Every structure is written in C-alpha cells, then in structure tokens.
Amino acid sequence: MSEPLRLGVAGLGTVGIGTVKIVQNHAALIQRRTGRPVVITAVSARSRTKNRDADLSSYAWEDDPVALARREDIDVFVELMGGADGSALDATRAAIATGKDVVTANKAMLALHGQALAEAAEAKGHVIRFEAAVAGGIPVVKALTEGLAGNDIRRVMGVMNGTCNYILTRMESAGLPYAEVFEEARQLGYLEADPNLDVGGIDAGHKLSLLAAIAFGTRVSFDAVRLEGIGRVSIDDIRRAADMGYRIKLLGVAQMTGRGLEQRMTPCLVPADSPLGQLQGGTNMVVIEGDSVGQIVLRGAGAGAGPTASAVMSDVIEIARGSRIPTFGQPATDLVEAVPAGTSAPAPHYLRLELADKPGALAKVATVLGEEGVSIDRMRQYAHADATVAPVLIVTHKTARDAIDHALSRLPATGVLIGEPVAIRIESV
C-alpha cells in the first residue's frame, strides 16, 4: 500500500471540523479515488477543551499553529484559521519553509500575500491550493486552472458573497428596508464579526482578485479592485429596478481591456431573467467567458461547513493524486504586473434622482447630462408622499462611469436636486 498523505489541520471551526469529518467518514472512498490513505496526524486551535462534535482524540495537539506547520509527521498543512496576517500567515510561511504543501481557505491572506507565498512554495517544488477560498463549494479555481486552461478568458464575473445576496433578495421578497434586513442577517449569524467585510464588498473583492490572477496571468492586485458595498441600495431602487426587468446584485467583474485590467465589486443591475438575476438567498454564482467555450455558469453553496470542507478536500485529494499545478495556474514568477484600467468599460447606468417638483427641473437635469455626454435611453417619474418632491428614474445609453460621476457632481448647482443621487451600473450578462 502507498504511504499515507498526512495532514495537519490548523483551525477547528465550522470548516475545520467539516474537513475532519470528511476524512473520518469517507476514508475508504478517498483511498479508492487517490490510491493512498489520507489521514490527519495533528491539529491546532485556540481552545483544546471546546466541544466540537468530532472525535479528535487520535490526533496530536499543538497549541501553536506554527509548531503544527513545522511538524515532521505532516505532508500537507491545512490552514483554516482565517485572517490576512498573524498566526495564519506565520504558520503558512513556516509550512512552506519546512517543505510542506499548503491547502487554505484564506482568501484575505492570499489576496494580500499570495504572490510572495506562491513564489516561495513553487521555488521548493511545493503547491498552495485554495479552492475553498473562493465561492465555497463551487469548483471555480479548478475550472479556470484546468477545465478552461485552453481558453483565452474574456471575462469573469459573479455573485461571490452569499450574505449580500441574501440581504438583497430578502429586501425584494419581503419589501423590507436595508437596515432591517441587515439586522436580521446579523441575528441569524450570517455576518462576519466586522460586517463591512461582507456588506462593504471586501470579502468578495478578495475572491475576485484571486480569480483575476488566474484568468489573466497577472499578479494578485486586490488594491486595484474598485469596491462599493450595498449599504446605499434602497428598497425603492430594488422595486424600480424590478419595474424595468432588472435585479440588483453585488456583482464582481474582472476583464482585460485595452485600458488595462478592470476589477470591480459593486452593486449592478442584471436582467431579472438571467442566471445571475434569478439567483436567490445565500447561493453563489460565477460566470466565466472564454474564447472557445463561450459562457460557463457555475452555481452552488458559497459557504458553510459541508460545501467549504468539500472544496478543502478536493485540493487535498488532488495533492494525494500527485497533481502539482502552480498556485495561480502558471508559475508565479511568470505572472505579470497588472496595469489597472483607469476607467470602467462604458455601460448603461440606472440613475435615481429626487427633484423639486417645479417646472423646468427635468430640463435642467437633461441639459447637464447632455453636456457631459450622457445620453438618456428611458426616463420615468414616480409619485411621492410629499407633493413637492418628484422621484425620477433615468436609464442611460452606454456611458463611461467618469461621465456619469461628473454629471452628478454638477447637479446640486442646478438648484433642483433634493438629496443625494444614486447611480448603479447595468451589466450585460
């Protein structure tokens, strides 16, 4: 029988225990599929006495994850602690330095330190696998690095934060305002300890930056991701988007353009009858467009013990089989510095304005938009409880975002604008 692949698991939270249970419950199945046993040798977590609903008695315990990473009786360091820096980063560096392969679910660490970690691992002939770091149980990293490796990738986009999708779809289905659904999500335990990681688009932006590196052969450039959260999306926006056949999603888009690499994680309108438009609740979806394959849609659970642990084990199994794919699909030293796109590709935009209900108000708005090169496709006016206020919704033709922003910055000077205008991109799907 072949030698077992020995794992050291750091982090025994939801995903860590989910991983332990897969190893324990599917040992025979995994051995048949890999040709060798996969076993856990040692584990590490903050508390040894916590009840974790799993039998850990046969594993060595290390209080310090760095000590776990350096143990001579593990082959693969499985990092499930989270956090961009601190113990997770220290332990991962220690594992690489002592010749271990690494499997991680830590998108923040890779988004900020992935290039250096990949170069260090690959210099020693070892791999870092991170399927679980992006979109939970959806095998999108494998799709890009293997299944679609023969394609020139044109665009990667998707809904990559289930909490945001839950909030937006719950607002629509229940007719509730953002603040109320946000608090509901908090009570249900859907939000991170720092909620801005979710609703501010940071968590999903980390994921997008990793997919962009694979798709376009560039170094991870999270700092170049344009981030805008969902906090300004109102129930009125959701209702009015629905009137026009759209739904609002926190949508990540990465594409290489003549202006450079465009990466944005922002609220967008998508057609309600599209796969992204129909996505409900906490589910994730990633859409990949390649020159040969066309459009591929991957949909599934983006978080949770089972789906994320499934992704962890897919990486472990590939290592057990002898797969040695570079971290980002090609040698890390070959990745090029991305030139960030200065502006987004032109697109239609949804504009929500509240105007003073007096003659000439719309004309003044139309004049400013026209002077900035923003062409109006459709326009609607809605009733308001306050008869002095006229809510107006405008859909533009394809327009550069810079032109939209410049036009909106000029509107207060017209004297007809009430409150702050809202502009949301309409994405073609």
Side-chain angles (χ1 to χ4, degrees), residues 63-122:
D63 292 320
D64 180 4
V66 174
L68 173 67
R70 290 175 174 154
R71 286 180 68 105
E72 294 183 357
D73 58 353
I74 71 168
D75 306 303
V76 180
F77 178 64
V78 182
E79 187 281 303
L80 304 175
M81 296 179 288
D85 299 289
S87 297
L89 181 59
D90 291 343
T92 300
R93 286 171 170 163
I96 292 168
T98 53
K100 313 291 196 308
D101 292 325
V102 174
V103 172
T104 180
N106 194 333
K107 62 265 185 185
M109 180 179 72
L110 292 178
L112 299 182
H113 306 289
Q115 180 67 31
L117 292 173
E119 288 184 12
E122 291 169 25

Side-chain angles (χ1 to χ4, degrees), residues 78-298:
V78 182
E79 187 281 303
L80 304 175
M81 296 179 288
D85 299 289
S87 297
L89 181 59
D90 291 343
T92 300
R93 286 171 170 163
I96 292 168
T98 53
K100 313 291 196 308
D101 292 325
V102 174
V103 172
T104 180
N106 194 333
K107 62 265 185 185
M109 180 179 72
L110 292 178
L112 299 182
H113 306 289
Q115 180 67 31
L117 292 173
E119 288 184 12
E122 291 169 25
K124 288 180 169 290
H126 289 280
V127 297
I128 301 173
R129 303 296 296 262
F130 60 95
E131 188 67 74
V134 182
I138 302 174
V140 61
V141 173
K142 182 179 287 291
L144 282 170
T145 56
E146 298 181 46
L148 303 178
N151 283 257
D152 178 17
I153 302 299
R154 302 296 172 81
R155 183 168 64 159
V156 178
M157 62 181 170
V159 171
M160 303 177 202
N161 184 279
T163 299
C164 287
N165 202 54
Y166 167 81
I167 289 173
L168 293 172
T169 55
R170 174 73 172 149
M171 287 173 67
E172 179 182 21
S173 64
L176 296 173
Y178 171 82
E180 192 169 331
V181 180
F182 176 91
E183 184 56 33
E184 182 180 285
R186 185 198 296 276
Q187 295 295 328
L188 291 169
Y190 291 172
L191 289 164
E192 296 276 1
D194 176 1
N196 195 49
L197 291 173
D198 287 316
V199 298
I202 298 170
D203 167 85
H206 288 149
K207 300 170 186 177
L208 181 70
S209 70
L210 298 177
L211 295 184
I214 301 170
F216 304 111
T218 57
R219 296 182 171 216
V220 182
S221 51
F222 171 67
D223 288 346
V225 180
R226 182 187 169 203
L227 296 176
E228 181 184 340
I230 63 172
R232 294 183 62 213
V233 176
S234 74
I235 186 64
D236 285 340
D237 291 322
I238 287 173
R239 287 170 175 158
R240 290 166 188 172
D243 285 347
M244 297 184 298
Y246 294 103
R247 286 200 171 101
I248 299 177
K249 301 293 180 184
L250 181 67
L251 188 68
V253 178
Q255 57 188 348
M256 188 66 74
T257 71
R259 297 173 302 280
L261 178 60
E262 183 178 334
Q263 300 179 92
R264 47 188 162 79
M265 182 63 65
T266 62
C268 290
L269 272 67
V270 298
D273 59 357
S274 68
L276 284 165
Q278 294 176 33
L279 191 68
Q280 299 293 309
T283 309
N284 281 199
M285 180 177 287
V286 181
V287 179
I288 305 170
E289 297 172 355
D291 65 332
S292 297
V293 75
Q295 188 178 90
I296 298 291
V297 178
L298 303 170

Side-chain angles (χ1 to χ4, degrees), residues 168 171 177-178 228-244 248 267 269 348-356 362 365 369 374 376 378-384 389-396 401 404-405 407-409 411-412 416-426:
L168 293 172
M171 287 173 67
Y178 171 82
E228 181 184 340
I230 63 172
R232 294 183 62 213
V233 176
S234 74
I235 186 64
D236 285 340
D237 291 322
I238 287 173
R239 287 170 175 158
R240 290 166 188 172
D243 285 347
M244 297 184 298
I248 299 177
L269 272 67
H349 285 74
Y350 158 104
L351 307 180
R352 175 169 59 82
L353 313 169
E354 289 191 347
L355 306 181
L362 274 175
V365 170
L369 293 175
V374 179
I376 296 174
R378 288 180 281 166
M379 182 165 56
R380 290 184 185 178
Q381 185 169 338
Y382 290 82
H384 194 280
V389 177
V392 174
L393 181 134
I394 295 172
V395 174
T396 74
R401 181 60 190 239
I404 296 283
D405 290 341
L408 296 184
S409 72
L411 288 182
V416 300
L417 185 66
I418 299 172
E420 190 174 357
V422 171
I424 305 177
R425 182 185 177 94
I426 300 174

